[in-house]
Amino acid sequence: HEIAVLAYSALFLAEDAGLLGIIEDKARSGVRVRLALGDPDSVCVALRGQEEGIGDAMAAKVRNALTHYRPLMKSENAEIRLHQTILYNSIYRADGQLFVNQHAYGIPAAHAPVFCFGDSQSSEMAASYLASFERVWATGEPLI
């Protein structure tokens, strides 16, 4: 029913043609897709780049991901918003599955722990992460 992502770039999804194709197919079939990505011109993206030791490459990663995600915008069920939020974790949701990628200072997200929550696991904790997604989503600027 819904796919939701809160991250700075989620570049791994964008660069994997198979995964991106699945997301595009789901959007075309009526699944709501919401991507909240970091504004590449924001202070929070610049700071995260410094913290990971990659500097301006973080903003470049976001811009690269946005290029890959553009075809999603053809679907009326998909929306991308840019946020200016400091993220303590990235959130990936597909219906009853929730993945939370913990951010750790100086460690790229791809090397940080990921927690998985199902429908029956720790609903209060999962609800906290989902509420966090909604707060960031509400403040994001739609990508046109």
Side-chain angles (χ1 to χ4, degrees):
H1 297 19
E2 181 174 9
I3 296 170
V5 173
L6 170 61
Y8 283 128
S9 70
L11 187 57
F12 76 96
L13 287 176
E15 289 181 329
D16 186 318
L19 284 175
L20 189 54
I22 290 169
I23 294 169
E24 290 171 2
D25 289 346
K26 292 293 184 184
R28 281 193 295 273
S29 70
V31 172
R32 184 179 187 199
V33 176
R34 297 188 293 164
L35 305 179
L37 304 176
D39 181 337
D41 297 320
S42 69
V43 172
C44 64
V45 168
L47 180 59
R48 184 66 184 173
Q50 289 174 355
E51 291 172 352
E52 286 189 12
I54 61 172
D56 293 340
M58 180 59 75
K61 287 171 66 170
V62 176
R63 287 186 180 92
N64 186 14
L66 288 170
T67 298
H68 288 289
Y69 288 130
R70 286 275 180 197
L72 270 174
M73 298 307 293
K74 294 177 186 172
S75 172
E76 64 184 35
N77 296 315
E79 185 177 357
I80 299 173
R81 293 187 184 180
L82 299 179
H83 67 81
Q84 296 190 18
T85 306
I86 293 175
L87 294 182
Y88 303 103
N89 51 64
S90 297
I91 298 171
Y92 303 88
R93 176 178 182 236
D95 292 338
Q97 294 295 310
L98 177 67
F99 299 91
V100 179
N101 180 204
Q102 297 294 305
H103 291 194
Y105 185 84
I107 298 173
H111 299 147
V114 175
F115 298 107
C116 178
F117 302 96
D119 280 337
S120 62
Q121 295 177 318
S122 188
S123 61
E124 186 176 322
M125 186 178 287
S128 295
Y129 286 115
L130 294 172
S132 176
F133 173 88
E134 294 300 339
R135 283 191 294 275
V136 174
W137 183 257
T139 66
E141 291 293 322
L143 184 65
I144 299 172

